[in-house]
Every structure is written in structure tokens, then in C-alpha cells.
Amino acid sequence: MKQDRLISLLAALLAIAVVAVYANHFQNGFHFDDSHTIVNNIFIKDIRNIPLFFRDGTTFSSLPTNQSYRPFVSTTLAIDYWLGKGSGTMFFFHLSTFLFFLLQGLFMYFFYRRIYSISFKHEWIDLTALFSVAWYLLHPANAETINYIIARSDSLSTFCIVLSFVLYIYSPLGKKWHLYLVPVAIGALAKPIAVVFGPLLLVYILLFEEKASLGDLIGEKGLTHLRSGLRKALPAILFSLFMIVFIKSMDPPTWTPGGTSRFHYLITQPYVVLHYFTTFFLPVQLSADTDLKTLNSMADHRFFFGTAFILILLFAAAVSSKQEKTRPISFGILWFSITLLPTSLIPLAEVMNDHRIFLPYVGLTMSVCWSLTLLLVSAKKSVGSDQVFNRLTIAVILILLAAYAYGTHQRNDVWKTEETLWHDVAEKSPENGRGLMNYGLTLMAKGDYAGAEKYFKRALELTPNYPTLHINMGVLKAALGNAAEAEEYFRKAISLGPGYPDCYFYYGRFLKEQGRLDEAVGNLYKTVELAAAHLQARYLLMDIYLKQRNYRKLAGLADETLRIVPNDRQSVYYLSEAKNGNPGQSTAKRPSYGNGAAERFLNLSLQYYQSGQYEKSIEAAREALKLNPDYDLAYNNICAAYNKLEQWDLAIEAGEKAVHLNPNNEIAINNLRWSINQKKISGRKP
């Protein structure tokens, strides 16, 4: 009873410590694939679209190549968007991931505790289980998954696998009626990796229920163990196979894993596995986007070291499976190896990525912590003073956990903004063209065009055929007033990525700014054709139709958008203009106060802006801010209106407030860039 109270107290202290360590991450921004799965994905912007997520994978992303079937992830994102009343509030997006993370830690404790206790009876079992959970929850490498919002697909699927094991181990009813497979199904709907539960369960049954070593599986006796194990694990294996077939059938034909040469990818993975293993102990060079390239041949020394390591690892699994008390070591090694197989065998765009080790580290933590426990148990027998030994052990554990906690807190700061993240990547992965490009983008957003161009050019040397890089060079050249060069880059981007919607979107936006509206319409329609969820392309199209007084097409597009995102403010405005058939000031009436008054003042501001009454547009936007001081869209309207009035300082002030409130408001970012650029140009005039 005394130890139970101690464990409860330590568990509570651990929960407090984890919350404190992650306290600086709840307002961190969107990064990487968050842009097309959250920020530019119109489907998650209305909670009523949840049934659509389960229809197929087309609603998961605004990019066709990334539209995989992960409806559970999209459902949680839609709920977060609804709770936060938009993507400008980061707290709820991080809170839901973090709560699942804490719950996973709770279930991991019970999972580890059972594995350890059935292998070896000792008074340290509960403490070892808690220490294992603490090491995992405070590990800096896992901070990559917790900070990266769309990587919740990894955290949710891992949570579900651990929960399935807890149900299988602790619930006789769940085991009898196969209820432990329910979390597997949910996890697979977050990420297909959850189907590894089948082979993991088979390994668990062979080691802990059949009590067979890996060597015992050879020969006639081994066939008996295998038949018995397969009979028990068969429902899970068959269900896992069913789920993977079902999910693959729901993936749109446009989805691609992104990798190129299977051979070169495969020969690189042994070294990647070695990197993941060493990172567990020394997570000092974590990079959100590594610059590791695929190996050119098997003659590379890294292939040799990686392959040798894997053989040693599997040999250790075989040896540790021989004795009952060391089988958690074997199970942890096999868990680590099996869960890395899917990302090792299927060529992906990135050779390695730290969020892929979130699930494998559940097993590796088990193996390492149990190995240390057995060493300490053995060492304690030869130590004269228990008190000194215990104090020294506790001190080492606290120092270890404190060091990992500090590293995690630091990684949270790295993920805070696009600038902090990509500056870290540029320093740690200097051969990564995408990382250099993204850091250049953060410089361009601040108006440092010279710095941005320097990083873009370095990136072009490394990745000359990267469509997104050519898009950004086009955006930069346009901002500098070099329209001819900008167009060359946009056209090059389209030739390199003809199936990539953003190539057409940014070219279309450029053409619109150049006054070539008909050409812009063609490119923007191509964007929507490739990515129906591309909301910004829809806005630009509607704006062009409004300027052209093409009210029929404007109404059709606005109505179509509102069917996907009901009550979308800008679409409601455009539909109203189409119905009125008059974009001028005559339709602008001062709204009354009441529910939604801020939105109505914003619409009024837009109408004044469209009719060229920029002072009134600013006045109406300021009325909206009186009702909602954190209304980034209102500050954006003020910035845009001051741009038209060529009052650059006031425009910059409003634009900076809009971007501060919502760093992902692309329209505000572009308006602010324009303000800064025009101020520089006007300052150079004689």
C-alpha cells in the first residue's frame, strides 16, 4: 500500500513535469504539411463535413498527391478548428494532441508493468515501468511529433496500438470478444501503420504466452509454438490485413508516397535505423528536415555499418529471448524493428524523419529501461551500502530525465515559428534545399529580399528541379518588380510539377496582379480542378469575376464554396454581390450591432474597398476591431486599403498586427510584403 501511494505521487509529479516541459509549445505555429492539410484545407473548416472524411481520402489535403485516407485525423482537426473558431487559435490543435500523449503515457505504464512483472518478480517493477514512461514522455525526439500538428497521425495510431495491448492483456472480456481490435481500427484510420499490431501481438504471444525463445521456433517443437501462436493472433492478423486493404481502396489514385528509386532507398535504411537508435541515447542533432540523401551504392561505408548494426540488434533479440527475465529486452527490440519496416520498405519523399520513431521508441524504451533495471539489480548485490546505491541511482535517473526534459523544452522553442524552425534546419541540414528555401521564405516575409534570394539560389544549386522553389523565386522576382523573370520561374515550376496545384495558383495570382485576368482565370481554375479544397484560389477567382462583373460565374463558384464551407465570410460576401448584380457602394449599408456584428462590419469594409472608397473601408474595419480586437481579417483590410492610399507606414503597422494575430493568413502576409516593398521603392526615389 505504501508503494502504491509512492507510485501515485510520482506519477502525478511526472504528469506535472510533462505539462511544465511542454508549456511553451501550445501556441507554436503550423509547419510543413500543416499548410495543405489544415490551413488551406477547406473541408476541416466546418465540423459538418466530418461524414465526408470517411467517404474517401480526397478531403484530407488540398494537394492531390497527399490525399491519403486518414479520416480520424481530419475529424480531430475539424473539432479543433471548431473549438478554436478558426486556424488562428493554435491552442486547441496542440491541446488535443497533448492530451492523447498524456493518456498514451498512462496506458504505457500499465503495458510496461505487465510485461515486466510476468518476466521477473522484483520490488522495482512499478518504479521501472514509471521510469520507462518518464523517459519516453520527456524524450526530445518525441517532441518533433507533438509539435508537428499533422504528425498526430503518428501519435494517434501509437496511442491506439498501446490501448489495444492494454485491452488484450487486462480485459478477459475484451480478449474473448476481440474488443481489443476496436482501437486498431481507429488507429488505422489515423495512419495505416497501426496494422503492425497483428505481427506485434504474435510476437507478444510467442514470447510471453507460449514462453518460446526465437531459437525455440526452429524445428518441430517450434512449429507447435508457431501454430498455437498463430491461432491466438489470427483474428488480429486477419483484421490488420483487412484494414490495410480497405484503407488502400479508399486512397485516391492521385496519392503517391513521394519516393523515387526503391533500391537506393532500401540500401539507405539500415543506416537510418542506426541513426534512430543512436538518437534515442544522444538526441543532440535533431532536425525537422534532414539533409541525408539516399546512398548511391552498397559500397558506401554507411550501408555496411547500418547492416552490421541490424544484424547485431537481431542477434541481441535472439539471445535475450532465451531467458524469461530478459524477454522484455527481446520484445522491445523486435517492436522497434517491426514498426520501422513500413517506412523502411516503402520509398518515401524523405529518407528519414524523426516523427517516424514515435511508435518504434515505445519498444526501444522498454528494451533499454529493462536492460538497465537488470543491470542495477545485479549491481546492487555486490554493493555494500543499499542506501548509498539507492541515492546514487536516484540521482543519476533525475539528472538523465532533467537533461531530456531540457532538450524537449528547447525543441519546443525551435518549433515556435517558421523562422525559428527553418533557421534551425538551415544550420543543422545545410545540404537540404527545401530547408534553405523555407528559411529564405521567412526572410522574404520580413522584407529581407536580398537574404531570401541568397538562400533560394543556394537551394537551387542543390535541388534545381524542385517546383516549389521555382514558385518562390517567381514570387520574389515579382516582389522586386522583375515581372519577366518572375514569369519564367512560374512557367518553369509548372513544367516541373504539372500536377502540383500551387504552381498554377501562384502563377494565376501573378497574372491577376499584372492585370491579365483571363489568363489568371485559366490557371486558377486549373488549381481548383487539381485541388478542390484550395480556398485561396477560389477567393482569387471570385474576386476576378467580381471585377469582370461576371455575376453568373461568381454566384456559381461562391455557392459551390459555401456548400463545402457553410457561412464562409468571404464567399457569403461574393454571393451577395453576385445576387445584387452591383459591386458598388450602393449595396453597402451600415450594419446594426448584435450577433455577428464584427463580421458584418468586415463585409461592409470589403464592399467599400471594392468600390474604391478606401477611407470608409478603413473606418468600417476599425468598427469591426472595436467588437473583436483580435480580428486579423479586419487588420488585413486596413493594410490593403492603406496600400491603395500609398500610406505605407500605416499599411505596414496594420499588416504586422494581422500577421501577428494569424501567422498563416496568406493574404495578410502578401499585403504586408507589398507594403514593405513599396516603402523601399518609394524611399529610393529622388
Side-chain angles (χ1 to χ4, degrees):
M1 186 63 69
K2 184 178 179 181
Q3 181 158 334
D4 288 344
R5 287 199 296 269
L6 175 63
I7 293 298
S8 298
L9 175 62
L10 291 175
L13 290 175
L14 173 60
I16 293 170
V18 175
V19 172
V21 167
Y22 275 96
N24 62 330
H25 100 290
F26 288 101
Q27 295 300 330
N28 286 358
F30 292 116
H31 305 287
F32 283 111
D33 294 341
D34 293 339
S35 61
H36 58 85
T37 54
I38 304 172
V39 179
N40 294 322
N41 184 0
I42 59 177
F43 292 104
I44 69 147
K45 299 180 188 299
D46 194 289
I47 201 168
R48 287 170 290 186
N49 285 333
I50 288 177
L52 296 178
F53 304 153
F54 294 84
R55 185 185 63 189
D56 56 43
T58 57
T59 55
F60 179 68
S61 167
S62 62
L63 299 180
T65 54
N66 295 72
Q67 290 173 345
S68 55
Y69 187 64
R70 300 182 184 182
F72 184 41
V73 175
S74 297
T75 297
T76 62
L77 293 173
I79 293 171
D80 292 340
Y81 191 94
W82 174 69
L83 289 172
K85 296 180 173 59
S87 61
T89 305
M90 304 303 305
F91 176 76
F92 290 101
F93 288 97
H94 286 296
L95 179 65
S96 57
T97 299
F98 186 71
L99 290 177
F100 275 109
F101 186 47
L102 287 180
L103 280 174
Q104 180 188 325
L106 175 65
F107 290 127
M108 283 173 65
Y109 169 76
F110 291 108
F111 178 46
Y112 287 154
R113 185 172 181 270
R114 177 56 65 91
I115 296 291
Y116 298 158
S117 62
I118 61 179
S119 304
F120 184 57
K121 302 300 180 185
H122 197 275
E123 60 183 345
W124 289 354
I125 295 298
D126 291 345
L127 289 171
T128 301
L130 191 62
F131 169 62
S132 304
V133 172
W135 195 340
Y136 181 88
L137 293 181
L138 296 173
H139 200 292
N142 288 333
E144 306 296 286
T145 301
I146 303 306
N147 278 280
Y148 183 18
I149 295 172
I150 197 58
R152 71 172 54 174
S153 57
D154 289 281
S155 63
L156 290 174
S157 58
T158 300
F159 166 81
C160 289
I161 289 175
V162 174
L163 177 57
S164 293
F165 266 104
V166 170
L167 289 174
Y168 179 87
I169 292 170
Y170 284 95
S171 172
L173 185 65
K175 190 173 181 178
K176 178 182 178 181
W177 296 103
H178 307 301
L179 299 179
Y180 60 89
L181 294 176
V182 174
V184 176
I186 297 172
L189 297 180
K191 192 171 185 178
I193 189 70
V195 301
V196 299
F197 176 79
L200 289 177
L201 181 62
L202 175 60
V203 172
Y204 169 83
I205 290 170
L206 291 172
L207 289 176
F208 300 107
E209 293 185 4
E210 294 298 311
K211 299 187 182 301
S213 69
L214 297 185
D216 291 337
L217 300 179
I218 301 172
E220 183 145 349
K221 187 179 177 182
L223 287 175
T224 302
H225 287 304
L226 277 173
R227 278 196 293 267
S228 177
L230 281 170
R231 187 183 72 254
K232 295 176 183 178
L234 190 60
I237 293 173
L238 290 177
F239 186 74
S240 295
L241 289 172
F242 165 76
M243 286 303 300
I244 195 65
V245 171
F246 169 72
I247 289 168
K248 289 291 108 183
S249 71
M250 301 297 278
D251 282 341
T254 55
W255 178 83
T256 60
T260 52
S261 168
R262 179 181 293 273
F263 172 75
H264 292 102
Y265 185 87
L266 289 176
I267 65 173
T268 309
Q269 290 308 300
Y271 176 74
V272 170
V273 174
L274 174 59
H275 169 81
Y276 290 154
F277 184 84
T278 56
T279 297
F280 182 82
F281 301 97
L282 290 171
V284 293
Q285 279 298 316
L286 294 170
S287 174
D289 201 13
T290 178
D291 57 3
L292 178 67
K293 305 294 190 298
T294 55
L295 304 184
N296 291 323
S297 75
M298 296 170 67
D300 193 303
H301 70 279
R302 290 172 293 181
F303 172 76
F304 170 77
F305 285 123
T307 304
F309 167 75
I310 289 175
L311 293 175
I312 293 170
L313 198 64
L314 294 178
F315 177 75
V319 171
S320 57
S321 71
K322 291 180 179 180
Q323 296 185 49
E324 192 169 331
K325 72 175 183 179
T326 56
R327 281 181 186 150
I329 301 173
S330 179
F331 185 42
I333 291 173
L334 293 172
W335 179 299
F336 177 72
S337 305
I338 290 169
T339 53
L340 281 175
L341 277 176
T343 56
S344 298
L345 297 177
I346 301 173
L348 301 172
E350 292 86 25
V351 179
M352 69 179 181
N353 209 309
D354 287 330
H355 67 80
R356 296 176 191 167
I357 52 183
F358 193 80
L359 172 59
Y361 272 9
V362 173
L364 189 56
T365 302
M366 178 197 306
S367 184
V368 171
C369 290
W370 190 244
S371 298
L372 292 175
T373 299
L374 294 181
L375 286 173
L376 288 172
V377 169
S378 177
K380 188 177 181 182
K381 295 177 182 178
S382 59
V383 175
S385 172
D386 279 358
Q387 192 174 31
V388 172
F389 182 84
N390 290 341
R391 286 179 178 176
L392 182 61
T393 301
I394 291 171
V396 171
I397 288 174
L398 290 177
I399 292 171
L400 175 70
L401 294 180
Y404 278 69
Y406 175 77
T408 296
H409 198 74
Q410 293 297 104
R411 286 307 293 174
N412 294 341
D413 282 338
V414 167
W415 282 81
K416 190 165 295 294
T417 65
E418 286 284 271
E419 183 176 2
T420 57
L421 181 70
W422 293 111
H423 180 262
D424 183 76
V425 170
E427 285 193 335
K428 292 179 179 175
S429 307
E431 299 299 311
N432 184 329
R434 181 171 66 178
L436 296 173
M437 176 198 74
N438 283 327
Y439 182 54
L441 281 174
T442 68
L443 296 177
M444 186 165 67
K446 296 193 304 181
D448 183 1
Y449 296 131
E453 188 167 16
K454 181 181 74 172
Y455 278 94
F456 286 171
K457 286 182 176 179
R458 282 176 56 191
L460 274 173
E461 293 174 5
L462 297 167
T463 52
N465 297 320
Y466 186 20
T468 306
L469 181 51
H470 287 273
I471 291 172
N472 289 317
M473 280 296 286
V475 172
L476 176 64
K477 293 298 182 181
L480 292 171
N482 300 328
E485 285 188 70
E487 186 158 12
E488 285 183 23
Y489 279 112
F490 287 128
R491 288 183 176 276
K492 180 67 173 178
I494 291 173
S495 68
L496 292 171
Y500 189 42
D502 275 355
C503 295
Y504 301 95
F505 169 71
Y506 285 100
Y507 185 38
R509 190 183 71 175
F510 166 78
L511 292 169
K512 178 179 180 291
E513 291 169 353
Q514 297 295 309
R516 296 156 62 181
L517 299 185
D518 291 336
E519 293 175 81
V521 166
N523 282 275
L524 293 170
Y525 249 115
K526 182 66 175 179
T527 307
V528 175
E529 179 185 312
L530 289 170
H534 204 301
L535 196 57
Q536 299 304 319
R538 290 173 175 270
Y539 288 159
L540 289 184
L541 270 172
M542 286 187 277
D543 191 56
I544 291 173
Y545 289 146
L546 185 60
K547 283 182 170 59
Q548 295 178 329
R549 299 177 182 267
N550 191 336
Y551 301 120
R552 182 180 61 82
K553 287 189 176 181
L554 176 60
L557 186 57
D559 187 60
E560 178 185 277
T561 306
L562 286 168
R563 285 198 298 271
I564 303 171
V565 193
N567 303 318
D568 176 64
R569 290 192 294 265
Q570 287 186 250
S571 299
V572 167
Y573 163 70
Y574 284 121
L575 184 61
S576 173
E577 289 298 289
K579 289 180 177 178
N580 290 333
N582 181 6
Q585 187 268 340
S586 62
T587 62
K589 297 181 180 178
R590 185 176 182 84
S592 60
Y593 288 85
N595 292 332
E599 287 76 12
R600 289 195 289 276
F601 273 115
L602 181 73
N603 287 335
L604 176 64
S605 173
L606 285 169
Q607 293 176 43
Y608 280 133
Y609 181 88
Q610 294 291 345
S611 63
Q613 301 182 70
Y614 303 120
E615 291 87 352
K616 289 187 176 181
S617 174
I618 293 167
E619 180 186 340
R622 293 198 186 282
E623 291 293 329
L625 287 169
K626 290 178 183 178
L627 299 168
N628 182 359
D630 295 328
Y631 206 176
D632 63 291
L633 297 178
Y635 278 117
N636 174 62
N637 278 19
I638 293 171
C639 176
Y642 275 129
N643 278 342
K644 290 292 186 181
L645 295 170
E646 298 186 1
Q647 297 183 35
W648 310 122
D649 288 332
L650 292 172
I652 291 170
E653 180 184 354
E656 286 177 342
K657 289 180 180 178
V659 174
H660 174 73
L661 289 167
N662 183 2
N664 299 291
N665 186 331
E666 189 177 342
I667 296 177
I669 291 170
N670 292 331
N671 281 331
L672 177 58
R673 287 175 185 164
W674 175 261
S675 310
I676 294 170
N677 185 50
Q678 292 304 308
K679 181 182 177 181
K680 287 183 177 180
I681 293 172
S682 63
R684 290 195 295 265
K685 290 179 180 178

